[in-house]
Amino acid sequence: MTPDVAQDERVRVDLSDRSYDILIGGGLLAEAGARIAALGAHTVGVVTDENVANLHLQTALGSLNAAGLKAETIVVPAGETSKSWEVLGRVVDGLIAARVERGDVVLALGGGVIGDLAGFAAAIVRRGVRIVQAPTSLLAQVDSSVGGKTGVNSPRGKNLIGAFHQPSLVLADAGALDTLPAREFRAGYAEVVKYGLIDDPAFFGWLEANHAGVFAGGPERTRAIATSCRAKAAVVARDEHEHGDRALLNLGHTFGHALEAEVAYDGERLVHGEGVAIGMAMAFRFSASLGLCSLADAARVTAHLAAVGLPVSPRKIPGGVGGAEALLAHMRQDKKVERGRLTFILARGIGKSFVSRDISEDQALAFLESELG
Amino acid sequence: MTPDVAQDERVRVDLSDRSYDILIGGGLLAEAGARIAALGAHTVGVVTDENVANLHLQTALGSLNAAGLKAETIVVPAGETSKSWEVLGRVVDGLIAARVERGDVVLALGGGVIGDLAGFAAAIVRRGVRIVQAPTSLLAQVDSSVGGKTGVNSPRGKNLIGAFHQPSLVLADAGALDTLPAREFRAGYAEVVKYGLIDDPAFFGWLEANHAGVFAGGPERTRAIATSCRAKAAVVARDEHEHGDRALLNLGHTFGHALEAEVAYDGERLVHGEGVAIGMAMAFRFSASLGLCSLADAARVTAHLAAVGLPVSPRKIPGGVGGAEALLAHMRQDKKVERGRLTFILARGIGKSFVSRDISEDQALAFLESELG
């Protein structure tokens, strides 16, 4: 069942004429040039950040040059602040200046911020050029690089400006994760766990048994990434533009986003994956308190997240967060809000998540008070 | 054949789940509220400019309010300079502040600039909200409001940043054109003529006989607009994202855009439709000089454009334009350029236009010199 050596895996995202492959394995960055040349591009606009440039840009550029591609690099500051209207404008201008044309490709080399920023820029330069995602964080490999959601933040909220723009190819180099700080790897792991909790209890069980191997690297890591991508690809294929099923991917995110907003997106205090970990634990506790799932299941979720060092309670956030009312206010300003109704992803057990629009604000408030009190 | 009273016309744009209606007729702005309410929207973000606001905003808002819709208005300065990254950012922020949500609608009330700007903002707010186009210029009614091309200008070229975002409905109020300056109406008329020249020689003949009625208003105007929209809708339905046929709509535009760029988009000297008129006359003269079409057809095109007061030669542009090399340089920086090959729309006769990628730079240069010399 578990192979002894890491092998490349291929996951197909099935979206008719926008279908594409996700490749997962070691050393894929060094193959970027050949694989992009095979798409028929001539010029590649590489978008990356200062940190990733130091670690991986040389490998990527060497590969592009070796394949005979013309490459122009646009480097932005590392961090969430680059997901802004102003930085987007600079990236767009850089791609136009580099003469990236309709048959060409933008290469997003970096984590989720770079993927969202470069993907959005590619969506709007010349009304759309192709994007190849080369995610270098676990979070980006298992989540943001797959599915075509791109965008930047507005001062009024995260990801409020963006586009659906599917990549032409995703190159998830599992070896690139060896350079990730432990905290960032762990945060990405929260999204891996999420796929088990949504609808794959066997995968959750496999993670409980094999998480050490995923963290150490090797075949378990490749398998965990591929399983996650396959799960996301299936949801995206069913619901590309988030009218229904895709909302399940927000398990843990309604609470998580509110917590991130409460710390003003201060990554020192809480990174996205940590917010999701706390949010998933809260979603299961909320589900248990509503009588939807067993207390044992909620405890099992909390135990596994805690076992890998992820936070599971809003009380653990350094500096604390505001009260229940403040969290609820953040949850109301969410782009998935429909006519003022809150949407929660709740669960009837591990692997039995569902979308609920039946929760009253009073119920949410009472639960938030119990979590913070 | 020609009805005595103007009747509303309906043109369907057939794009599977993105299909929509274009309604053409008098008094449609006063019906905007009822028709947008029928789409299921609750909040309407109205985007308009200062000039159009003075003429038509009261009618539109009265109609939206009467239909029980919440309306928020964003007014930008009139003119092409509003098609900028900075103004786009302000419109996007205004729509987010107005809480235009996924089920809601942005109403573009104005000419081509407003349609392109508001349409693009709608494409990227919350990764896409619906847009209803209410074009108030002839140019916008017969061209830019139909087909989903949206965008803003880059300092490096026009329309280099944008998205394809089909409207949910187009309301072309033929009566609104009574407030247009004569020069602007005439410029829009160039695009009407274009549809005849592309593939409908009978329509071109009808225009030769009936142009006075189109300019005066009444049933001929509604018919000319509807025929133009029907022609554009057919091309868009065949080629939504401009991979092939849609390029025919650029008849007159390769030369026209170069001329506009040469006068630095100074609308005092040359407005877009005038550039298209000169460009179409040039395309037919170029075709004749290449032996593709008869000199008589080229002369007939020029005669009709001149008959309604449109310019037909680059020598007539106030202040003049630079040399052939300068024009060619503009033509090279076009988002439709593929691997450096120039694309021309040429003709084998009236109503027999085709896409040509076989013209050498030397041929183009020689022709431009003959036009300017």
Side-chain angles (χ1 to χ4, degrees), chain B residues 201-224:
Chain B
F203 182 49
F204 183 78
W206 184 85
L207 288 171
E208 287 179 311
N210 294 282
H211 63 85
V214 176
F215 277 73
E220 289 90 350
R221 179 185 290 174
T222 298
R223 179 171 168 183

Side-chain angles (χ1 to χ4, degrees), chain A residues 70-369:
Chain A
K70 179 165 161 271
E72 299 274 353
T73 306
I74 299 163
V75 182
V76 304
E80 183 82 17
T81 51
S82 281
K83 271 182 68 170
S84 71
W85 188 252
E86 290 68 30
V87 175
L88 174 68
R90 290 208 299 276
V91 172
V92 164
D93 188 62
L95 294 172
I96 294 170
R99 300 216 169 209
V100 175
E101 296 179 1
R102 286 210 182 152
D104 293 325
V105 157
V106 176
L107 176 63
L109 178 67
V113 166
I114 290 298
D116 286 2
L117 176 70
F120 189 25
I124 63 176
V125 164
R126 294 170 193 268
R127 296 202 190 93
V129 297
R130 289 182 294 177
I131 178 87
V132 169
Q133 295 280 358
T136 59
S137 74
L138 179 57
L139 180 68
Q141 291 189 357
V142 301
D143 182 19
S144 55
S145 70
V146 178
K149 277 196 193 181
T150 71
V152 297
N153 300 326
S154 150
R156 298 177 197 276
K158 283 188 72 167
N159 294 317
L160 287 179
I161 313 170
F164 287 96
H165 189 52
Q166 299 294 342
S168 297
L169 178 67
V170 180
L171 298 172
D173 189 331
L177 305 185
D178 290 337
T179 59
L180 273 193
R183 184 181 177 187
E184 211 182 319
F185 189 93
R186 209 155 48 212
Y189 183 79
E191 300 275 2
V192 175
V193 173
K194 187 183 74 175
Y195 296 108
L197 296 179
I198 290 174
D199 62 359
D200 190 348
F203 182 50
F204 183 79
W206 184 85
L207 289 171
E208 286 179 313
N210 294 281
H211 63 84
V214 177
F215 277 74
E220 289 91 349
R221 179 185 291 177
T222 298
R223 178 170 169 184
I225 296 169
T227 303
S228 300
C229 289
R230 205 164 280 123
K232 178 147 187 184
V235 175
V236 169
R238 283 200 302 274
D239 179 22
E240 184 177 5
H241 292 134
E242 198 167 29
H243 298 301
D245 267 8
R246 189 156 173 169
L248 286 173
L249 297 172
N250 287 314
L251 175 63
H253 284 62
T254 311
F255 293 124
H257 281 153
L259 295 170
E260 287 184 88
E262 263 301 290
V263 302
Y265 301 100
D266 177 355
E268 299 286 317
R269 294 168 66 193
L270 188 75
V271 298
H272 176 69
E274 293 168 347
V276 171
I278 298 173
M280 292 191 297
M282 287 173 74
F284 271 81
R285 285 195 292 269
F286 194 19
S287 299
S289 77
L290 293 165
L292 292 165
C293 88
S294 70
L295 283 166
D297 274 353
R300 199 175 146 203
V301 171
T302 299
H304 180 56
L305 294 169
V308 302
L310 281 164
V312 292
S313 163
R315 294 195 197 106
K316 293 291 171 60
I317 297 170
V321 291
E325 272 291 359
L327 287 176
L328 197 62
H330 291 299
M331 290 156 66
R332 285 192 201 104
Q333 172 64 354
D334 184 294
K335 59 184 170 315
K336 268 91 59 186
V337 168
E338 286 178 19
R339 304 282 105 235
R341 285 199 81 81
L342 293 171
T343 300
F344 287 92
I345 315 303
L346 299 175
R348 295 197 177 85
I350 287 168
K352 294 179 185 168
S353 297
F354 66 99
V355 180
S356 168
R357 295 193 177 85
D358 302 326
I359 302 297
S360 70
E361 293 214 346
D362 284 350
Q363 286 173 303
L365 212 52
F367 171 69
L368 289 170
E369 276 160 6

Side-chain angles (χ1 to χ4, degrees), chain B residues 247-313:
Chain B
L248 287 174
L249 296 173
N250 287 313
L251 175 63
H253 285 62
T254 310
F255 293 124
H257 282 153
L259 295 171
E260 286 185 87
E262 262 303 288
V263 301
Y265 302 99
D266 177 354
E268 298 285 317
R269 293 169 65 194
L270 188 75
V271 298
H272 176 69
E274 292 168 348
V276 171
I278 298 173
M280 292 192 298
M282 288 174 73
F284 271 79
R285 285 195 293 268
F286 194 19
S287 299
S289 77
L290 294 165
L292 293 165
C293 87
S294 70
L295 284 166
D297 273 354
R300 199 175 145 203
V301 171
T302 299
H304 180 57
L305 294 169
V308 302
L310 282 164
V312 292
S313 164

Side-chain angles (χ1 to χ4, degrees), chain A residues 15-30:
Chain A
L15 292 166
S16 65
D17 62 338
R18 293 180 303 290
S19 297
Y20 56 94
D21 284 333
I22 308 164
L23 305 182
I24 305 116
L28 284 171
L29 281 183

Side-chain angles (χ1 to χ4, degrees), chain A residues 57-71:
Chain A
L57 184 58
Q58 210 178 333
T59 305
L61 288 182
S63 165
L64 294 172
N65 291 334
L69 294 163
K70 179 165 161 271

